[in-house]
């Protein structure tokens, strides 16, 4: 096995798998053990892992990845409407369509680098959003969004004699992709996506991407054509985004233009920076933290805060509730902003830098305690 994968990578993959599969257990005390939120953790973890291949490994900052996320959702829903409610064909179709779209956008945007590349990706993302919202309404159903109906043709299901009495929902081998079944379905794809990203990072192709990030100009001066490698990273990253969008359509069979807004592109940038750019686990942790804040802190209100601070004296509790209420509910973005500022100032490498610092501290303390105490020898 060591010939196929380095031991450290194997341990990391096994540890990551164990953490992901046991999330319903260890997240339950934090109020985040319910399936809908766990599915979001998995989906946006995939989104962040794919974005990190482009940003973390290659050094290209894209503000337009929400376009591929939205295209993946639309492609999956159209697969459910036209072909079959089975999730696997929809996933394959969404990844292929997103990859082709990323190939087109990347071919145009990678003619520039730096801030100009970022602005180009943002422009294409906004164009995609406006096309989906207004121009391509026969395909996207505009602001209402694309939904499944009983009257959809679903030719493969019809050919196999499969009918549905109620509202059609995506399935896998007859199992509806909702609840914990949907979570473990998404978890399997997150683990697979993490494994692929891990192999890419350690491969010669990954070394080339890191070299592009380190000094692309020097590589070009030596006569090395870096554009095919950057374009490949862009397409792979776009396919990851399409996969995440398809999974969101599997668990929530609705595709809307809001999934392609620039705010969604900015969110995945925050996830990656918060967790640690260029690391494997960091972007996933960043995605989990942001989605936790979005779903848990946004649900808090004055009544919940009053019960939480009830151990304080009445006057003090009222003041504390009034202050903390500004950071939860509709103000959860303020809490996220403060956390992000603190991380960027004190841990520029993200949460994973903090983990590395703690690990180094424990190693130093362990090595110092293991050293034998020096004894003073009397002079002869």
């Amino acid at each position: 096995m060591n010939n196929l994968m380095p031991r450290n990578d194997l341990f990391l993959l096994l540890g990551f798998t164990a953490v992901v599969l046991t999330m319903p257990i260890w997240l339950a005390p934090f109020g985040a053990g319910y399936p809908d939120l766990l599915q979001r953790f998995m989906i946006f973890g995939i989104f962040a892992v794919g974005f990190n291949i482009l940003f973390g490994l290659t050094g290209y900052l894209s503000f337009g990845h929400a376009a591929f996320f939205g295209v993946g959702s639309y492609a999956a829903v159209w697969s459910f409407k036209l072909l079959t409610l089975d999730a696997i064909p929809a996933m394959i179709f969404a990844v292929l369509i997103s990859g082709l779209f990323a190939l087109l956008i990347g071919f145009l945007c990678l003619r520039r680098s730096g801030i100009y590349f970022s602005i180009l990706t943002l422009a294409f993302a906004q164009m995609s959003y406006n096309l989906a919202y207004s121009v391509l309404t026969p395909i996207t159903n505009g602001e209402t969004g694309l939904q499944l109906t009983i009257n959809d043709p679903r030719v493969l299901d019809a050919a196999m004699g499969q009918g549905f009495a109620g509202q059609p929902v995506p399935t896998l081998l007859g199992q509806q992709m909702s609840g914990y079944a949907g979570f473990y379905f998404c978890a399997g794809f997150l683990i697979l996506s993490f494994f692929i990203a891990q192999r890419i990072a350690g491969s010669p192709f990954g070394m080339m991407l890191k070299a592009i990030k380190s000094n692309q100009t020097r590589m070009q001066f030596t006569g090395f054509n870096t554009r095919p490698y950057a374009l490949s990273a862009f397409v792979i990253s776009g396919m990851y985004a399409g996969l995440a969008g398809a999974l969101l359509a599997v668990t929530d069979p609705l595709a809307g233009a809001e999934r392609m807004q620039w705010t969604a592109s900015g969110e995945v940038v925050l996830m990656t920076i918060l967790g640690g750019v260029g690391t494997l686990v960091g972007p996933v942790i960043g995605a989990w933290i942001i989605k936790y804040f979005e779903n848990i802190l946004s649900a808090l209100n004055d009544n919940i805060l009053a019960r939480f601070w009830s151990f304080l004296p009445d006057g003090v509790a009222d003041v504390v509730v009034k202050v903390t209420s500004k950071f939860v509910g509709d103000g959860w973005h303020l809490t996220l902003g403060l956390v992000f500022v603190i991380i960027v100032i004190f841990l520029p490498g993200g949460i994973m830098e903090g983990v590395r610092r703690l690990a180094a501290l424990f190693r130093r303390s362990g090595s110092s305690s293991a050293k034998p105490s020096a004894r003073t020898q009397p002079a002869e």
Side-chain angles (χ1 to χ4, degrees):
M1 186 68 181
N2 290 338
N3 294 330
L4 299 177
M5 178 182 291
R7 180 177 298 178
N8 291 340
D9 288 351
L10 177 60
F11 288 158
L12 177 61
L13 178 62
L14 293 177
F16 181 79
T17 301
V19 168
V20 168
L21 295 181
T22 57
M23 286 181 76
I25 299 174
W26 60 267
L27 279 180
F30 301 96
Y34 57 94
D36 290 346
L37 181 55
L38 292 173
Q39 292 167 9
R40 293 295 193 275
F41 284 168
M42 302 300 102
I43 291 168
F44 286 92
I46 294 172
F47 194 11
V49 168
F51 181 78
N52 187 61
I53 293 175
L54 180 65
F55 181 37
L57 292 184
T58 318
Y60 279 85
L61 175 58
S62 169
F63 286 123
H65 260 51
F68 312 125
F69 187 85
V71 166
S73 290
Y74 280 118
V77 174
W78 271 114
S79 176
F80 295 141
K81 292 173 72 69
L82 298 179
L83 301 178
T84 174
L85 285 174
D86 191 89
I88 297 301
M91 309 296 296
I92 297 173
F93 185 59
V95 170
L96 291 177
I97 295 298
S98 300
L100 291 174
F101 188 53
L103 179 63
L104 173 62
I105 301 301
F107 180 79
L108 298 174
C109 292
L110 286 170
R111 295 176 179 273
R112 295 291 180 266
S113 60
I115 188 62
Y116 303 104
F117 167 82
S118 301
I119 295 300
L120 280 174
T121 57
L122 177 61
F124 276 110
Q126 284 302 101
M127 289 169 57
S128 302
Y129 166 73
N130 285 286
L131 286 172
Y133 191 81
S134 58
V135 179
L136 299 178
T137 49
I139 299 176
T140 63
N141 204 27
E143 61 180 339
T144 305
L146 198 62
Q147 305 179 42
L148 302 182
T149 64
I150 300 177
N151 298 323
D152 292 331
R154 282 186 283 277
V155 292
L156 294 182
D157 288 344
M160 298 177 64
Q162 296 181 359
F164 300 90
Q167 178 66 26
V169 292
T171 61
L172 178 65
L173 301 177
Q175 173 67 49
Q176 294 186 7
M177 290 294 96
S178 59
Y180 286 107
F183 159 68
Y184 283 109
F185 180 73
C186 296
F189 276 99
L190 174 60
I191 295 169
L192 177 62
S193 301
F194 183 85
F195 171 73
I196 294 174
Q198 192 179 43
R199 302 303 289 167
I200 289 175
S203 67
F205 173 71
M207 296 298 105
M208 292 302 305
L209 298 183
K210 294 175 183 177
I212 292 173
K213 179 181 179 180
S214 177
N215 199 327
Q216 184 175 3
T217 304
R218 178 176 294 179
M219 295 182 67
Q220 291 172 341
F221 281 162
T222 59
F224 198 90
N225 186 9
T226 61
R227 192 176 178 191
Y229 290 91
L231 181 58
S232 298
F234 192 93
V235 172
I236 293 171
S237 184
M239 294 171 74
Y240 267 79
L243 173 63
L247 283 172
L248 190 58
V250 169
T251 57
D252 181 17
L254 169 68
E258 70 280 353
R259 295 180 181 178
M260 307 176 76
Q261 279 187 309
W262 68 270
T263 51
S265 297
E267 190 176 53
V268 74
V269 175
L270 293 180
M271 292 173 182
T272 307
I273 295 176
L274 183 63
V277 178
T279 64
L280 288 169
V281 181
V284 180
I285 296 176
W288 292 351
I289 290 175
I290 289 180
K291 287 302 163 183
Y292 181 83
F293 280 6
E294 179 181 334
N295 288 270
I296 301 300
L297 293 185
S298 63
L300 299 180
N301 53 41
D302 290 352
N303 293 330
I304 297 176
L305 292 176
R307 290 196 299 269
F308 181 80
W309 298 110
S310 59
F311 63 91
L312 296 174
D314 291 340
V316 177
D318 293 340
V319 174
V320 173
V321 168
K322 187 174 182 179
V323 172
T324 54
S325 64
K326 305 299 182 183
F327 295 86
V328 297
D330 293 336
W332 73 270
H333 287 95
L334 182 58
T335 303
L336 177 62
L338 290 175
V339 171
F340 187 77
V341 168
I342 293 172
I343 292 293
V344 170
I345 292 176
F346 296 101
L347 297 172
I351 293 174
M352 292 307 297
E353 180 180 341
V355 173
R356 287 192 294 267
R357 289 184 184 181
L358 288 175
L361 180 63
F362 284 125
R363 282 196 298 268
R364 285 198 300 268
S365 61
S367 60
S368 61
S369 62
K371 291 180 180 179
S373 58
R375 295 183 179 179
T376 304
Q377 298 293 334
E380 295 182 356

